[in-house]
Amino acid sequence: MRAAITGLGTAVPAQLLTNADLEARVETSDSWIVERTGIRERHIAKPDETTASLAVEAGTAAIKHAGIPPDAVDLLIVATATPEQPIPHTGAFVGEGLGLRCGSFDLQAGCAGFVYMLVVGSSMLTAGHLQHVLLIGSETLSRVIDPADRATCILFGDAAAAIVLSRSDDDGPGVLGWDLGCDGSAASLLEVRAGGSRRPATPETIAAGDQYLKMQGQEVFRRAVRAVVESAFATLEHAGVGAADVSWFVPHQANIRIIESAASRIGVAPQRTIVNIDRYGNTSAASIPLALAEAEEDGRLKPGDLVLMSGFGAGMTWGSALVEWGSL
Ligand code: UT7
């Protein structure tokens, strides 16, 4: 029994934030951003676009692509670090928008959220009686970014991307192996300090700017490369596959230098690595499924391909999964 990807859908806000726009706002330059990150532009949600509304759009597209009626979805998981509101979970709004009454929950594992969700969804499918699971990575990072902080405002963008995961009763396409991890000793490297149980939002926390994402970029960078490489190798070992057998590497899109360094250490050629960070920036839990959807759409992903996905993020979390691609 396997859990195969049978549908993909995306939702990207129309509003663009280019490097030239950022040059006008903070002390930075297009050449610095491109050289250090690989990013040229990102999409930013308008006030009426939210994590849930983008998720509904991406989920609707994925259900249609899978060719199933919405009521065939047996479970909905939304991976997000930027929930619609603290209570209830974002999946409640998304399920309502999609007309679903199946179980739903949110999964928070930072930018590794998509891989975590893929592992959970796949395990629930292969455990028993579910047929289709809808997984949506949706983020409006722009809502937690300090527009005046040049260390973070250049990096992040908004988007959602969804997949339908379906149970197949044979050894066809599907999830072949995975690895998940989290080193909580590094929690302070990437955080939003206020708005939770430890530090509820008050006028003082707002005055201190603690509603915004704070990041120690260099240390995150260093750990990210190591985590992605180790996790990728653990996943390949779990699946009994060598790096030379990987058809495509689809990493979390956080920084082109992290992507290139990790790909070369794993042993995947640049032309076998899917990169779209130049056009979206870091869209956290949406970045891997967004890249998958583009590569499927333009015909790069073919049935039988072995696709290695790796993510890392706040926590610090990391996760990798190896998937045999099917006919979509
Ligand atoms: O999904 C996980 C999320 N996060 C990540 O993956 C982020 C990982 N980290 C990174 O991508 C990189 O660390 C950054 C892109 C954030 C920063 O690049 P860096 O090469 O590590 O730069 P740095 O922080 O070492 O800064 C180098 C210099 C500093 O100036 P000084 O002290 O050398 O004079 C910074 O103040 O660049 C300066 N700087 C900038 N200059 C122009 C920092 N941000 C900017 C900027 N424009 N936007």
Side-chain angles (χ1 to χ4, degrees), residues 22 26-30 32-33 35-39 110-112 149-156 189-190 213 215-222 224 252-258 277 282-284 287 311-314 316:
L22 288 163
V26 292
E27 185 68 40
T28 191
S29 67
D30 173 57
W32 192 96
I33 300 172
E35 207 174 287
R36 298 292 182 114
T37 72
I39 302 168
C111 302
D149 177 10
R150 70 175 183 173
T152 53
C153 74
I154 58 158
L155 293 176
F156 295 94
L189 294 182
L190 183 47
L213 186 89
M215 182 177 72
Q216 295 176 42
Q218 266 189 5
E219 186 56 19
V220 173
F221 189 115
R222 205 177 59 77
H252 167 49
Q253 310 281 311
N255 185 314
I256 190 66
R257 292 183 294 138
I258 296 177
I277 189 172
N282 181 344
T283 59
S284 192
S287 90
F312 61 90
M316 279 190 67

Side-chain angles (χ1 to χ4, degrees), residues 4-328:
I5 295 176
T6 54
L8 291 147
T10 64
V12 177
Q15 182 172 237
L16 271 183
L17 179 66
T18 65
N19 290 353
D21 297 331
L22 288 163
E23 279 177 343
R25 186 203 289 173
V26 292
E27 185 68 40
T28 191
S29 67
D30 173 57
S31 59
W32 192 96
I33 300 172
V34 172
E35 207 174 287
R36 298 292 182 114
T37 72
I39 302 168
R40 293 181 185 276
E41 60 190 27
R42 333 93 195 104
H43 294 253
I44 302 295
K46 292 216 166 106
D48 64 338
E49 290 173 311
T50 67
T51 294
S53 77
L54 292 171
V56 169
E57 192 184 330
T60 303
I63 289 170
K64 187 164 173 233
H65 189 212
I68 58 169
D71 63 7
V73 173
D74 299 311
L75 178 74
L76 165 68
I77 312 178
V78 178
T80 185
T82 46
E84 191 76 352
Q85 56 189 51
I87 297 174
H89 68 297
T90 304
F93 299 104
V94 178
E96 175 61 11
L98 292 169
L100 304 179
R101 287 293 178 268
C102 61
S104 69
F105 60 92
D106 290 4
L107 193 152
Q108 225 282 46
C111 302
F114 176 74
V115 175
Y116 266 73
M117 174 168 71
L118 181 64
V119 171
V120 173
S122 150
S123 304
M124 290 185 75
L125 274 180
T126 53
H129 57 284
L130 306 184
Q131 191 59 48
H132 303 287
V133 174
L134 178 61
L135 309 177
I136 312 177
S138 186
E139 304 281 10
T140 47
L141 271 311
S142 63
R143 302 274 157 80
V144 296
I145 296 298
D146 179 351
D149 177 10
R150 70 175 183 173
T152 53
C153 74
I154 58 158
L155 293 176
F156 295 94
D158 302 332
I163 66 168
V164 173
L165 208 55
S166 306
R167 193 179 76 205
S168 64
D169 292 325
D170 53 32
D171 278 350
V175 178
L176 306 182
W178 51 267
D179 171 70
L180 301 178
C182 177
D183 177 359
S185 71
S188 64
L189 294 182
L190 183 47
E191 62 177 348
V192 175
R193 291 186 195 124
S197 173
R198 181 185 289 193
R199 205 159 143 69
T202 62
E204 289 72 34
T205 64
I206 301 284
D210 285 346
Q211 72 277 30
Y212 291 131
L213 186 89
K214 303 279 190 320
M215 182 177 72
Q216 295 176 42
Q218 266 189 5
E219 186 56 19
V220 173
F221 189 115
R222 205 177 59 77
R223 288 166 178 261
V225 175
R226 200 173 61 214
V228 165
V229 173
E230 286 176 4
S231 172
F233 280 127
T235 299
L236 294 176
E237 195 182 330
H238 180 199
V241 163
D245 301 318
V246 171
S247 315
W248 296 102
F249 177 44
V250 187
H252 167 49
Q253 310 281 311
N255 185 314
I256 190 66
R257 292 183 294 138
I258 296 177
I259 293 172
E260 288 174 351
S261 170
S264 116
R265 288 182 206 196
I266 295 165
V268 183
Q271 61 273 21
R272 289 273 149 195
T273 302
I274 309 273
V275 175
N276 64 8
I277 189 172
D278 51 321
R279 287 172 289 122
Y280 301 105
N282 181 344
T283 59
S284 192
S287 90
I288 291 177
L290 189 57
L292 288 174
E294 286 196 347
E296 165 64 24
E297 172 85 24
D298 66 23
R300 274 177 290 176
L301 297 179
K302 302 242 171 6
D305 280 356
L306 294 186
V307 182
L308 176 64
M309 310 163 193
S310 276
F312 61 90
M316 279 190 67
T317 54
W318 59 85
S320 299
L322 185 75
V323 171
E324 182 183 328
W325 207 251
S327 176
L328 270 74

